[in-house]
């Protein structure tokens, strides 16, 4: 039996003038993208090939999230965090000393942010933050929630660190990459963590065996 399917491009969407670094879906199914041109663009999949600009930032945007499904938060190259308030206003605050590369939902309208200063912050829906941890002075590039409530974080020092969600324990360090870790995904059925980075390698970690 053929297990492969044919993949074809069905549309080419136009709306940005520079690279796209982040995308996210809201609860209504609209797709949002952001990137080097500082534009936040909303798309209606399969119904329009031209996006609608909904916000413009002073510089590039590296990360994007809908922590409550409705209002967006965006992380900028400047390290600033932009939070869309429920009344349509946008709050702007300095979150990290360098670029804000990673955003991840933490439940109940809360979210994590990771940046070029190596810090991980925990935010609430009011836009208040607390320093969760600072395990490295190099960039925190990607965050991945694990099914057991732990968080995996990939850094530019080539390490993946795994810690519980309140960071109350010493992190578990996974070594295998030789450069920055840019992407991670967890397969719940296989109980495996996948990681990839600057070294062009895809690594597979066996969670069931303790990584």
């Amino acid at each position: 039996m053929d297990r492969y399917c044919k993949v074809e491009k069905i549309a080419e969407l136009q709306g940005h003038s520079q690279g796209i670094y982040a995308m996210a879906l809201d609860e209504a199914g609209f797709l949002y993208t952001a990137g080097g041109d500082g534009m936040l663009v909303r798309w209606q999949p399969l119904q329009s090939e031209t996006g609608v600009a909904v916000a413009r930032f002073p510089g590039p945007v590296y990360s994007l999230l809908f922590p409550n499904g409705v209002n967006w938060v965006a992380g900028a190259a400047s390290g600033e965090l932009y939070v869309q308030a429920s009344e349509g206003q946008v709050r702007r605050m300095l979150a990290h000393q360098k670029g804000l590369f990673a955003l991840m939902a933490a439940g109940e309208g809360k979210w994590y942010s990771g940046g070029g200063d190596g810090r991980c912050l925990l935010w609430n829906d009011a836009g208040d933050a607390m320093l969760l941890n600072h395990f490295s002075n190099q960039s925190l590039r990607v965050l991945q929630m694990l099914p057991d409530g732990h968080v995996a974080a990939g850094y530019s020092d080539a390490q993946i660190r795994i810690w519980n969600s309140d960071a109350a324990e010493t992190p578990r360090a996974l070594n295998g990459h030789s450069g920055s870790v840019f992407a991670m995904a967890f397969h719940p059925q296989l109980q495996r963590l996948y990681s990839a980075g600057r070294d062009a390698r895809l690594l597979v970690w066996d969670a069931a065996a303790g990584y």
Side-chain angles (χ1 to χ4, degrees):
M1 180 178 178
D2 190 357
R3 298 175 58 191
Y4 297 92
C5 62
K6 186 177 181 180
V7 179
E8 296 180 345
K9 181 178 75 174
I10 59 175
E12 184 171 334
L13 309 182
Q14 301 179 3
H16 287 279
S17 61
Q18 297 184 37
I20 298 173
Y21 302 139
M23 63 175 62
L25 289 165
D26 69 6
E27 65 178 12
F30 287 97
L31 174 68
Y32 289 73
T33 56
D37 56 7
M39 301 296 295
L40 177 64
V41 180
R42 182 181 66 221
W43 311 85
Q44 189 167 358
L46 303 181
Q47 295 189 23
S48 174
E49 295 184 3
T50 302
V52 177
V54 297
R56 181 164 190 165
F57 306 102
V61 175
Y62 287 160
S63 52
L64 188 61
L65 180 70
F66 283 85
N68 61 4
V70 179
N71 300 323
W72 50 260
V73 296
S78 62
E80 291 177 303
L81 180 74
Y82 296 86
V83 181
Q84 180 191 26
S86 58
E87 65 269 19
Q89 298 179 342
V90 177
R91 295 183 61 187
R92 175 182 178 182
M93 60 206 81
L94 182 63
H96 295 272
Q97 295 302 313
K98 299 179 183 178
L100 201 166
F101 297 109
L103 290 168
M104 185 181 71
E108 298 180 350
K110 298 180 181 179
W111 67 92
Y112 300 99
S113 70
D117 51 13
R119 301 189 307 158
C120 183
L121 304 180
L122 177 62
W123 300 80
N124 61 26
D125 54 6
D128 301 318
M130 62 172 287
L131 175 62
L132 199 61
N133 60 58
H134 191 180
F135 294 134
S136 174
N137 289 323
Q138 295 195 41
S139 299
L140 195 169
R141 302 304 298 259
V142 60
L143 291 162
Q144 174 66 47
M145 182 65 74
L146 304 177
D148 62 2
H150 283 69
V151 175
Y155 294 81
S156 287
D157 61 8
Q159 277 197 343
I160 297 170
R161 294 174 174 87
I162 297 178
W163 29 272
N164 63 2
S165 57
D166 60 6
E169 63 183 22
T170 301
R172 169 83 179 274
L174 305 183
N175 297 290
H177 286 285
S178 60
S180 298
V181 181
F182 290 146
M184 288 189 294
F186 190 86
H187 195 302
Q189 285 75 37
L190 298 179
Q191 288 293 294
R192 290 177 177 175
L193 175 68
Y194 297 85
S195 63
R198 190 180 296 277
D199 57 9
R201 296 200 300 163
L202 175 65
L203 301 185
V204 183
W205 309 88
D206 190 348
Y211 302 98

